[in-house]
Amino acid sequence: MSTGNMNLTLKVWRQKNNKTKGALVDYKVSDISPDMSFLEMFDVLNEQLINKGEEPIVFDHDCREGICGMCSMFINGRPHGPKDLVTTCQLHMRSFKDGDTIVVEPWRAKAFPVIKDLTVDRTAFDRVIAAGGFISVNTGNAQDANNLPIPKIQADAAFEAAACIGCGACVATCKNASAMLFVSAKVSQLAQLPQGQPERYRRVQSMVAQMDAEGFGNCTNTGACEAECPKGISLENIARMNRDFYSAKFVSEEDI
Amino acid sequence: MSDLNSNIPEGELTTKWTKYKSSVPLVNPSNKRTIEVIIVGSGLAGASAAATLAEMGYKVKCFCFQDSPRRAHSIAAQGGINAAKNYQNDGDSVYRLFYDTIKGGDYRAREANVHRLAEVSANIIDQCVAQGVPLAREYGGLLDNRSFGGTQVQRTFYAAGQTGQQLLLGAYSALERQIGMGKVEMFTRHEMLEVVKIDGKARGIIARNLITGEIERHFGHAVVLGTGGYGNVFYLSTNAMGSNVTAAWKAHKQGAYFANPCYTQIHPTCIPVSGDHQSKLTLMSESLRNDGRIWVPKKKDDLRKASEIPEDERDYYLERRYPAFGNLVPRDVASRAAKERCDAGYGVGASKLAVYLDFKANTERYGRIEAAKAGNHNPDKETCMRLGTEVIKAKYGNLFDMYAQITGENPYETPMRIYPAVHYTMGGLWVDYNLMTNVPGLYCTGEANFSDHGANRLGASALMQGLADGYFVLPYTIGAYLSKEISVKAIPTDHPAFVEAEARAKGILDTLINIKGTKSVDHFHKRLGHIMWEKCGMARNEKGLKEAIEEIRALRAEFWRDVRVPGSVDELNTELEKAGRVADFIELGELMCIDALNRNESCGGHFREEYQTEEGEALRDDEHYAYVAAWEFKEGVNFELHKEELKFENIKVAQRSYK
């Protein structure tokens, strides 16, 4: 039972699996409340499909609080829809009007192959992190945390970069499907902290190499990534990463 | 009375863990390389354990149902993580953290476990900072702290309103480092469906590859479940949509006892339900109570806007009832107090099921401080509010944005409306001091076990327990077991026990697909949630629980007769995944009600209406119920109670008071 009065037409990408071709399919949903999240509207649609004996639309989602980074829909040509700085789960139907037609597609990037319907494979991001997106410290015997004072401004800047949720909107919206914003956010977080210094140049080289190996495109400073990032991750991170990447070429082997 | 051995080491409370660590048997590095450990779950407890065990040299296989370990629901924790560091010089100590936690849990937790948790808490902060976790700092470069409920010291470390995210990404990066080195094999989009037992010991799992539907067999010398809580049994909760009880429940059906299932934490400050469409609830961090004041109008059914209700017509009921702790009382106390006011007719908002969380007073106070810093010692109110809003924005900005996004209201201008909601489950698989269940070789960590929080969890303790278990406890205790397993060669997965477990898992999936009924999985889940919330929620009574048990049994029968699961088993099928989980929730729901019915007392998150003081506070019965209720699964869906007596040797058990 819904509580609202919006009626919408959805054009949703349906694709059985990675080996079949996909297509946009039209669906009608009615009685949508403006207080519903976009994903709750999808729940209503799926309930409708199941009751008709059809297969529901598969989409990735989990926390529905805007932090897990799992939800990943391209809505009317924009990742996570028309509002700035929100994920799809935090997009509410009050952002749409009665009678609207909404086109919903999966992330589009060679490095993010479609698994089914709106679900894509983003494990390339994990492999980039595994290549160097960490500080090499084993558990136990860390020094007292306050023995390493970090200026607030520096800590805050590292936090800003660390706020990336790994959703992949930056890749999906980039005309080159570049992962530079994601990779630079992690490089930048660690490069701004004293703990991150020992591996700083090795890290940026390994992560960039893995990013290329995964098939992400190059960055041409268009800025669509920053514009569409639900967490407001800044392009400055890309500049910082580029500087570190080129610096690494002039750092002697012993210093790496 | 106890028929369960908790394996708590002998000796003084304060030296138990130190002594244990230095005398526990070790595994030689070359043997570690041949010993395989399976870890299910990649949240704070799972990821930290997987990373640490791999660093130690074990061969680790880690499983999660999400597309990446970075998505585990630990990521959504907002407010903070406790640690007894006394950086604020306000009198904190290991003993005080231990004491607050035991008292906060209404004296239903194990002393030895809680003391160990308090001991290792300081190491957790050190470890996370070393990993590059950007915790909040003061201008002097040192770590900042804030307050949480149930304590009178500032011991909570945080990273804006994204503490869980930052800590999880720290553990995730440590895990990815081990994956990159080939020391952890990661299985994402995999769901554990069975535990495999050989000669009484856990020796592996059956998992389903969620993309292909393929059923896989995995061997491990030991199995660790770090699979989180079961709050989604209520359908509406603050848990992630995928959070489930399946792994723990399958282990339970294989003999692992399920302890204290009726202890559910109701978080006092969630955004209220807005309609029938609602799929989940979003909480507002407890840290907000640090700077917010909770109130309702003094007049019943007051229809005025919050801003139109003058100061002397507001009832700051927490400050009135609990002057010592005020807005910082523990979660169970704050939740019940909100329910009491709403039930009495003082609720606000359209549904009347909400109270105000108001930041105005502290915004003004902060503004005055900021003005003074800038040399203005006589600021007008408007200046104070403007400057103060900036301070509030810096501390809680993302939470305020989230509130605005969900409700369409601006919390900087009007107080937030909040109401209690299901959040964290203190019950879980029974474990001993070693974090091992009563099934040898089967371990359980983090929210999935029952151990450290008693009947109520204090805020900022879940992150602490998850990381304590994974980084600092399990890596020691599992060695004690594995040191006796070094001569066991990897068991081939064509062993009959694997074949049988796989057949069990497949049988359930096939049954679900072939019912071809008329009602969706969500339909059943919502009905279960409704029964649970109404009759086993914030308050329970004997009559309601007995009804609930009957209703759940009927619902179970209907589910297995009439559920509709579209699609097939050999593909990505999210409805099939949900169906299996809801089937387990239905059985668990019954056990929760049975446990709640058995416990004829009120304590923490378990409030039986028949047992309360004249002032409406929880009334414990220490003489008859100072035990852990550990339930054994019996053929059909039946349960037998075992008890672990709780002994309090270091703390004086008293009626809990926050007045």
Side-chain angles (χ1 to χ4, degrees):
Chain A
M1 193 181 74
S2 305
T3 45
N5 51 10
M6 290 168 77
N7 298 303
L8 304 161
T9 305
L10 298 169
K11 292 179 176 295
V12 184
W13 187 261
R14 300 301 306 260
Q15 185 171 344
K16 189 156 179 57
N17 55 46
N18 193 236
K19 294 181 185 69
T20 53
K21 273 176 89 170
L24 286 170
V25 178
D26 286 9
Y27 298 99
K28 298 251 184 245
V29 284
S30 48
D31 304 328
I32 297 299
S33 153
D35 288 333
M36 282 181 191
S37 72
F38 197 82
L39 298 185
E40 285 168 343
M41 184 271 294
F42 254 70
D43 293 341
V44 171
L45 171 60
N46 272 347
E47 194 73 8
Q48 207 172 294
L49 293 176
I50 294 166
N51 287 337
K52 281 199 289 185
E54 293 177 31
E55 278 196 49
I57 299 159
V58 177
F59 58 95
D60 267 334
H61 65 106
D62 201 15
C63 79
R64 296 203 177 184
E65 290 181 27
I67 193 76
C68 77
M70 193 131 171
C71 58
S72 50
M73 294 178 185
F74 228 78
I75 300 163
N76 286 342
R78 292 184 66 184
H80 301 301
K83 291 197 78 170
D84 291 338
L85 299 174
V86 295
T87 53
T88 308
C89 66
Q90 296 295 295
L91 174 68
H92 286 71
M93 296 314 292
R94 63 181 85 94
S95 301
F96 298 89
K97 291 194 305 292
D98 183 33
D100 275 358
T101 297
I102 307 171
V103 182
V104 189
E105 302 159 273
W107 278 179
R108 288 172 295 187
K110 187 177 147 212
F112 290 165
V114 171
I115 295 172
K116 185 174 183 175
D117 297 340
L118 302 171
T119 293
V120 303
D121 180 354
R122 283 170 287 187
T123 47
F125 271 8
D126 292 329
R127 290 187 291 272
V128 171
I129 298 293
F134 47 75
I135 286 167
S136 295
V137 52
N138 282 357
T139 303
N141 305 315
Q143 64 173 335
D144 185 277
N146 262 353
N147 283 347
L148 194 71
I150 302 170
K152 184 174 177 356
I153 292 167
Q154 208 174 324
D156 286 352
F159 173 79
E160 292 287 320
C164 167
I165 58 173
C167 65
C170 49
V171 173
T173 197
C174 175
K175 62 182 189 283
N176 305 323
S178 164
M180 286 287 268
L181 195 67
F182 169 79
V183 179
S184 70
K186 186 51 72 178
V187 165
S188 204
Q189 175 202 341
L190 301 179
Q192 290 182 94
L193 293 170
Q195 306 91 304
Q197 298 313 308
E199 296 166 291
R200 181 171 180 172
Y201 297 107
R202 180 190 293 274
R203 174 182 306 117
V204 67
Q205 288 184 314
S206 323
M207 289 180 82
V208 168
Q210 188 63 34
M211 175 178 84
D212 291 343
E214 295 290 346
F216 291 108
N218 289 319
C219 173
T220 48
N221 286 317
T222 313
C225 53
E226 183 188 59
E228 295 293 3
C229 173
K231 295 294 156 186
I233 303 294
S234 161
L235 272 183
E236 284 173 25
N237 292 311
I238 297 185
R240 199 173 286 117
M241 175 167 106
N242 282 337
R243 196 175 59 217
D244 273 15
F245 184 71
Y246 290 111
S247 301
K249 296 194 184 306
F250 299 101
V251 175
S252 63
E253 191 59 30
E254 305 88 80
D255 292 334
I256 292 185
Chain B
M1 164 175 163
S2 290
D3 57 354
L4 281 166
N5 186 356
S6 53
N7 288 314
I8 296 169
E10 292 296 314
E12 281 285 304
L13 181 70
T14 51
T15 56
K16 278 182 202 288
W17 180 235
T18 320
K19 267 185 157 162
Y20 176 101
K21 280 197 294 182
S22 51
S23 57
V24 70
L26 299 175
V27 181
N28 147 358
S30 66
N31 287 332
K32 281 186 185 144
R33 288 194 287 272
T34 64
I35 290 185
E36 301 180 46
V37 182
I38 285 176
I39 294 175
V40 187
S42 63
L44 285 179
S48 56
T52 307
L53 291 175
E55 286 162 10
M56 292 166 85
Y58 295 107
K59 282 168 77 172
V60 176
K61 282 182 175 176
C62 184
F63 295 77
C64 72
F65 67 77
Q66 298 94 341
D67 69 332
S68 161
R70 70 180 298 143
R71 316 262 188 236
H73 195 52
S74 308
I75 203 146
Q78 297 169 352
I81 176 167
N82 287 333
K85 279 211 170 263
N86 197 27
Y87 281 166
Q88 302 303 329
N89 193 32
D90 54 4
D92 202 7
S93 65
V94 166
Y95 182 83
R96 199 179 287 277
L97 174 52
F98 157 71
Y99 177 80
D100 286 345
T101 308
I102 291 271
K103 177 186 172 193
D106 221 348
Y107 305 94
R108 290 292 175 265
R110 218 186 255 154
E111 278 191 345
N113 283 55
V114 178
H115 197 274
R116 175 175 66 187
L117 177 69
E119 280 176 78
V120 303
S121 65
N123 304 115
I124 297 171
I125 303 302
D126 299 340
Q127 177 64 25
C128 294
V129 166
Q131 288 171 344
V133 172
L135 293 170
R137 301 253 166 191
E138 308 267 17
Y139 277 101
L142 304 180
L143 288 156
D144 193 13
N145 292 97
R146 61 187 176 198
S147 299
F148 259 62
T151 69
Q152 290 175 313
V153 294
Q154 290 195 66
R155 64 159 72 99
T156 308
F157 295 79
Y158 67 101
Q162 284 140 271
T163 318
Q165 181 199 26
Q166 293 309 317
L167 296 173
L168 180 68
L169 292 182
Y172 158 79
S173 65
L175 172 61
E176 287 297 335
R177 174 172 163 244
Q178 298 301 320
I179 294 170
M181 290 194 281
K183 291 163 75 176
V184 175
E185 198 179 347
M186 187 74 215
F187 296 84
T188 59
R189 291 196 197 267
H190 273 66
E191 180 155 61
M192 178 192 131
L193 295 179
E194 276 298 341
V195 179
V196 178
K197 265 169 56 178
I198 296 174
D199 299 330
K201 294 177 175 176
R203 290 298 190 195
I205 63 165
I206 302 297
R208 180 168 178 265
N209 177 330
L210 299 180
I211 298 179
T212 62
E214 210 174 325
I215 304 290
E216 299 173 2
R217 304 171 187 178
H218 295 276
F219 164 80
H221 286 85
V223 175
V224 181
L225 305 183
T227 47
Y230 50 84
N232 271 345
V233 70
F234 291 89
Y235 187 74
L236 282 184
S237 81
T238 64
N239 287 12
M241 301 301 284
S243 298
N244 66 85
V245 76
T246 289
W249 197 251
K250 299 303 187 200
H252 176 51
K253 289 180 126 174
Q254 289 302 304
Y257 293 174
F258 208 103
N260 296 337
C262 78
Y263 291 164
T264 305
Q265 174 159 88
I266 312 289
H267 195 291
T269 52
C270 289
I271 300 177
V273 176
S274 73
D276 291 337
H277 58 269
Q278 198 112 6
S279 62
K280 79 153 284 159
L281 297 170
T282 302
L283 69 81
M284 291 283 104
S285 166
E286 187 175 5
S287 62
L288 294 172
R289 284 201 273 151
N290 192 16
D291 281 320
R293 298 179 72 196
I294 292 174
W295 62 276
V296 290
K298 279 185 182 166
K299 204 170 78 186
K300 267 190 193 178
D301 293 321
D302 196 330
L303 296 174
R304 289 175 292 176
K305 279 195 237 159
S307 58
E308 289 164 2
I309 301 176
E311 210 43 47
D312 59 356
E313 292 179 41
R314 300 176 176 194
D315 176 15
Y316 293 94
Y317 59 88
L318 288 177
E319 297 167 41
R320 170 170 58 79
R321 286 178 63 177
Y322 308 99
F325 282 71
N327 293 295
L328 287 173
V329 290
R331 292 174 174 179
D332 57 332
V333 176
S335 296
R336 272 199 293 279
K339 180 179 192 292
E340 189 276 327
R341 282 294 80 189
C342 293
D343 288 351
Y346 297 92
V348 301
S351 65
K352 301 281 173 205
L353 285 176
V355 300
Y356 286 126
L357 176 57
D358 195 335
F359 299 91
K360 204 166 164 219
N362 275 310
T363 304
E364 194 176 337
R365 185 173 63 82
Y366 282 130
R368 199 169 296 281
I369 296 169
E370 289 304 302
K373 279 189 201 164
N376 178 359
H377 292 284
N378 200 11
D380 57 28
K381 196 165 175 179
E382 198 189 321
T383 309
C384 288
M385 290 309 287
R386 180 171 48 79
L387 294 173
T389 300
E390 290 307 311
V391 177
I392 294 284
K393 209 173 256 182
K395 288 175 105 165
Y396 313 108
N398 69 315
L399 302 176
F400 276 57
D401 291 348
M402 200 192 289
Y403 182 87
Q405 202 60 248
I406 292 171
T407 62
E409 292 173 3
N410 180 354
Y412 290 106
E413 283 168 9
T414 176
M416 289 181 179
R417 283 176 299 111
I418 50 148
Y419 194 70
V422 172
H423 181 47
Y424 187 96
T425 44
M426 279 76 63
L429 290 185
W430 182 88
V431 290
D432 66 5
Y433 187 74
N434 299 317
L435 304 182
M436 187 157 85
T437 67
N438 57 308
V439 173
L442 180 66
Y443 288 78
C444 189
T445 61
E447 189 179 354
N449 76 25
F450 88 101
S451 65
D452 297 0
H453 309 299
N456 171 55
R457 180 176 65 82
L458 288 186
S461 296
L463 302 182
M464 177 169 65
Q465 190 212 343
L467 290 180
D469 286 359
Y471 283 138
F472 297 108
V473 179
L474 181 80
Y476 281 98
T477 60
I478 203 169
Y481 175 79
L482 293 173
S483 66
K484 297 178 189 70
E485 299 292 320
I486 50 175
S487 54
V488 175
K489 296 271 178 298
I491 299 170
T493 54
D494 56 3
H495 186 284
F498 277 96
V499 177
E500 193 195 313
E502 180 178 309
R504 259 198 321 268
K506 270 194 168 150
I508 293 170
L509 296 173
D510 289 338
T511 306
L512 288 168
I513 282 277
N514 289 325
I515 294 170
K516 299 194 193 302
T518 63
K519 297 189 183 87
S520 72
V521 176
D522 277 357
H523 166 90
F524 288 100
H525 196 176
K526 283 180 187 176
R527 278 170 59 192
L528 173 69
H530 186 74
I531 300 170
M532 295 302 294
W533 178 247
E534 291 299 321
K535 296 179 174 168
C536 194
M538 234 191 301
R540 306 99 191 255
N541 58 53
E542 184 183 343
K543 181 172 164 283
L545 288 166
K546 285 182 171 163
E547 286 166 7
I549 291 167
E550 291 310 314
E551 289 169 29
I552 294 170
R553 284 180 184 156
L555 186 73
R556 171 154 51 91
E558 192 184 333
F559 174 88
W560 288 103
R561 198 174 57 234
D562 200 23
V563 74
R564 171 182 288 182
V565 182
S568 64
V569 289
D570 55 358
E571 61 174 341
L572 177 57
N573 187 338
T574 46
E575 284 298 305
L576 180 60
E577 293 164 24
K578 271 198 292 191
R581 294 169 190 166
V582 170
D584 294 336
F585 276 139
I586 294 175
E587 293 181 1
L588 167 71
E590 184 180 334
L591 177 60
M592 289 169 74
C593 295
I594 292 172
D595 187 43
L597 186 60
N598 167 72
R599 194 167 281 278
N600 290 316
E601 64 163 351
S602 290
C603 57
H606 167 67
F607 192 74
R608 277 282 296 273
E609 286 167 346
E610 303 94 321
Y611 307 98
Q612 50 182 309
T613 65
E614 279 175 10
E615 292 159 314
E617 307 292 343
L619 186 62
R620 284 197 328 267
D621 178 352
D622 293 326
E623 193 187 335
H624 300 101
Y625 292 95
Y627 62 72
V628 174
W631 297 89
E632 181 184 357
F633 190 88
K634 294 282 191 183
E635 202 48 39
V637 180
N638 293 297
F639 306 95
E640 185 185 325
L641 177 63
H642 301 263
K643 296 173 182 175
E644 178 202 335
E645 191 183 350
L646 291 168
K647 295 191 192 100
F648 296 93
E649 292 161 348
N650 300 275
I651 268 187
K652 195 172 152 290
V653 178
Q655 166 76 26
R656 212 156 49 123
S657 171
Y658 291 94
K659 292 183 193 298

